[in-house]
Amino acid sequence: MRKIAIYGKGGIGKSTTTSNLSAALALKGYKVMQVGCDPKSDSTKNLLKGRRSPTVFEQLKEKGAALELTEIVFEGFGGVLCVEAGGPTPGIGCAGRGIISAFEKLEELKAFEIYKPDIVIYDVLGDVVCGGFAMPIRGGYAREVFIVSSGEMMALYAANNIAQAIKNFGRRGYARLKGIILNAKNIENEQELVAKAAAEIETEVVMYVPRSGDIQTAENQGGTVSEFVQASPMVKIYQELADKVLEMSEDTKGDE
């Protein structure tokens, strides 16, 4: 089982990138599980025809010990297994705690043993790398990390923070930073800016994802380009991203 975390600043297109990547991997024949680790709980909606699924946090609160896997794991496009960690109402409680509770519940219910995914992708908000948001890398859940960034200053600032956190946990044998996925915003000299930032944090840009109206067209219909705009050049871009992620994850194939 390959375990990947995708981090990035809120609003950078991280969940869009992740869901399109999951769809591309599923179409290659892999069994994928995508776990949304953002209090907004919108990571997987583009795999579920725009529907928001009940979160682990909500279901735990309502059902407690009686909670079953089928109440928190939902099958989306291409058979992708969708999970949303969720979190408390803003201003009440700790969002990071919601992620920790969700991870603990998935383990307790033996989600990975039962569903046996080939690839698990954690989609994690990267604005704050506190204990909960660092859980995918700190707890050894993910072995590889990719950061989604544009050339905007705050996105690169968040990428630097995430890279530092990974470096700290990496010393303990946890996750490794594999590179930056550049989700373009079409700002001036964007590719050069991101390449320079990547070099400074001792990594590389693994993929350039151009800005495209096709992504919005697909999202307006509640899905990914692979589902709703199949003639789009973006389908090939995400297939290429899937190939690169698989290739870069190859070194951990038997490392369990």
Side-chain angles (χ1 to χ4, degrees), residues 16-28 46-47 49 77-78 80 214-215 217-219 221-240 242:
T16 296
T17 302
T18 305
S19 52
N20 277 282
L21 170 61
S22 289
L25 287 164
L27 291 174
K28 287 180 182 292
N46 286 333
L47 295 163
K49 300 206 183 311
F77 173 72
V80 177
D214 291 342
I215 296 168
T217 300
E219 291 199 341
Q221 294 176 75
T224 62
V225 287
S226 295
E227 183 175 9
F228 288 111
V229 199
Q230 291 167 10
S232 170
M234 293 307 293
V235 173
K236 195 176 174 199
I237 294 283
Y238 288 117
Q239 290 284 346
E240 206 179 312

Side-chain angles (χ1 to χ4, degrees), residues 96-164:
R97 182 67 220 167
I99 296 167
I100 293 168
S101 300
F103 278 36
E104 287 171 350
K105 199 66 190 174
L106 286 169
E107 273 200 271
E108 185 190 315
L109 295 175
K110 302 195 182 306
F112 305 118
E113 291 89 337
I114 289 166
Y115 288 105
K116 296 184 171 61
D118 301 308
I119 302 162
V120 181
I121 302 179
Y122 298 97
D123 173 13
V124 198
L125 183 69
D127 295 68
V128 186
V129 197
C130 70
F133 292 97
M135 188 75 174
I137 49 176
R138 183 172 61 94
Y141 289 92
R143 299 303 304 270
E144 292 101 28
V145 182
F146 293 88
I147 300 172
V148 176
S149 183
S150 67
E152 295 165 311
M153 186 180 72
M154 290 311 292
L156 292 171
Y157 178 76
N160 182 63
N161 280 348
I162 296 156
Q164 293 310 314

Side-chain angles (χ1 to χ4, degrees), residues 4 30 52 54 59 62 69 95 118 127 142 170 193 197 199 203 208 213 221 245:
I4 299 162
Y30 291 91
R52 181 189 176 279
Q59 297 288 67
E62 189 184 327
L69 265 181
D118 301 308
D127 295 68
L193 280 169
T203 191
Y208 169 71
Q221 294 176 75
V245 167

Side-chain angles (χ1 to χ4, degrees), residues 43-62:
S43 170
T44 59
K45 67 180 173 62
N46 286 333
L47 295 163
L48 295 165
K49 300 206 183 311
R51 295 191 311 273
R52 181 189 176 279
S53 64
T55 71
V56 181
F57 188 86
E58 288 165 348
Q59 297 288 67
L60 259 176
K61 204 171 172 187
E62 189 184 327

